[in-house]
Amino acid sequence: MTKSDSAPDSKPGAIPKFAHRDPSHPDFWSERFEQDFTPWDNGGVPQALQQYLTRSKPVATLIPGCGSGYEVALLSEAGWEVIAIDFSDAAVSAARTVLGKWSERVLQADFFTYQPPQLLGLIYERAFLCALPPAKRAAIVSRWAELLPAGGTLAGFFFFDDNPKGPPFGISRTELERLLHVDFELVDEREVTDSIAVFVGKERWMEWRRRT
């Protein structure tokens, strides 16, 4: 999630130079993981997810675009059957290094074609929608609806912003509701209090239920 990919890399703390500029391609993300440039990585599990687990029963869960995958360990240790996927081989490698004994739950796969081994109860959204260009939004929402049965939950963090540049690519609340309301209903939302800098004041924890 870069603001500029052209800053000189000779200065301390400077943004590295990157060859890949299309975030819809796995090489974009692999290059950033390989150069250890991951400003979207908060280094742990957000409080809103931890709180969600305390009021929810374990279900089969999918985490698309998992990045470093910290949530996999939390869910697994709480008894949830979770699979995390990422189309970047470098991201998968990073997650497996972080997760240790839970590393087998991270797979390299394309969200748009991946078929879970069991019926899902939850899809966890953490900076996946905002990581890909806006042109992908309709396809993402359609795939969420395909993967979740009636009564299943789409829960996580949604980034609201009107800056056309990204990633992260913000969305308006009106647009998000337009996309989701066909197949989902909003059942809960909460303020986020531990956002990383780029998301501060611009994200909400939301829980959407798949309509029958």
Side-chain angles (χ1 to χ4, degrees), residues 120-121 141-154 180-187 207-212:
L120 295 176
V141 172
S142 177
R143 188 65 178 144
W144 282 338
E146 289 175 0
L147 289 169
L148 283 170
T153 300
L154 167 69
L180 284 171
H181 273 165
V182 173
D183 295 302
F184 295 89
E185 59 178 332
L186 182 63
V187 295
E207 297 167 27
W208 298 83
R209 181 179 297 128
R210 180 72 164 90
R211 297 184 188 273
T212 58

Side-chain angles (χ1 to χ4, degrees), residues 171-182:
I171 191 172
S172 70
R173 177 149 189 152
T174 299
E175 176 68 4
L176 180 68
E177 292 178 349
R178 184 188 70 79
L179 288 167
L180 284 171
H181 273 165
V182 173

Side-chain angles (χ1 to χ4, degrees), residues 17 27 38 48 63 69 75-76 81 85 91 145 171 176 187 194 210:
K17 292 182 178 180
D27 287 346
T38 56
I63 306 177
L75 286 159
S76 298
E81 291 295 326
I85 60 173
I171 191 172
L176 180 68
V187 295
D194 59 345
R210 180 72 164 90

Side-chain angles (χ1 to χ4, degrees), residues 115-126:
Q115 294 294 336
Q118 59 185 314
L119 193 67
L120 295 176
L122 172 69
I123 294 178
Y124 172 61
E125 163 60 22
R126 179 58 172 164

Side-chain angles (χ1 to χ4, degrees), residues 126 157-162 171 173 189-205:
R126 179 58 172 164
F157 301 86
F158 294 84
F159 173 55
F160 299 109
D161 191 42
D162 57 5
I171 191 172
R173 177 149 189 152
E189 68 173 296
R190 306 188 180 207
E191 182 181 1
V192 179
T193 59
D194 59 345
S195 304
I196 62 171
V198 70
F199 295 136
V200 169
K202 298 180 179 181
E203 65 177 342
R204 299 281 289 176
W205 170 269

Side-chain angles (χ1 to χ4, degrees), residues 16-197:
K17 292 182 178 180
F18 299 112
H20 298 281
R21 301 303 183 98
D22 179 5
S24 65
H25 194 281
D27 287 346
F28 175 97
W29 301 100
S30 287
E31 189 175 27
R32 284 149 182 80
F33 273 95
E34 288 163 355
Q35 296 197 44
D36 197 26
F37 183 78
T38 56
W40 60 87
D41 189 332
N42 70 353
V45 179
Q47 293 175 9
L49 177 62
Q50 297 179 49
Q51 294 163 358
Y52 176 76
L53 296 192
T54 66
R55 61 181 188 273
S56 305
K57 294 181 179 179
V59 294
T61 300
L62 178 68
I63 306 177
C66 65
S68 295
Y70 304 103
E71 292 90 342
V72 173
L74 176 71
L75 286 159
S76 298
E77 289 166 4
W80 293 57
E81 291 295 326
V82 56
I83 293 177
I85 60 173
D86 205 296
F87 66 172
S88 160
D89 57 351
V92 169
S93 178
R96 287 177 174 170
T97 298
V98 166
L99 292 170
K101 68 177 182 178
W102 302 114
S103 62
E104 293 181 356
R105 297 193 172 192
V106 181
L107 307 175
Q108 185 175 0
D110 184 339
F111 169 71
F112 298 102
T113 58
Y114 175 70
Q115 294 294 336
Q118 59 185 314
L119 193 67
L120 295 176
L122 172 69
I123 294 178
Y124 172 61
E125 163 60 22
R126 179 58 172 164
F128 180 65
L129 182 66
C130 70
L132 297 181
K136 294 284 188 180
R137 286 173 181 162
I140 292 171
V141 172
S142 177
R143 188 65 178 144
W144 282 338
E146 289 175 0
L147 289 169
L148 283 170
T153 300
L154 167 69
F157 301 86
F158 294 84
F159 173 55
F160 299 109
D161 191 42
D162 57 5
N163 187 342
K165 294 184 179 180
F169 298 97
I171 191 172
S172 70
R173 177 149 189 152
T174 299
E175 176 68 4
L176 180 68
E177 292 178 349
R178 184 188 70 79
L179 288 167
L180 284 171
H181 273 165
V182 173
D183 295 302
F184 295 89
E185 59 178 332
L186 182 63
V187 295
D188 195 11
E189 68 173 296
R190 306 188 180 207
E191 182 181 1
V192 179
T193 59
D194 59 345
S195 304
I196 62 171

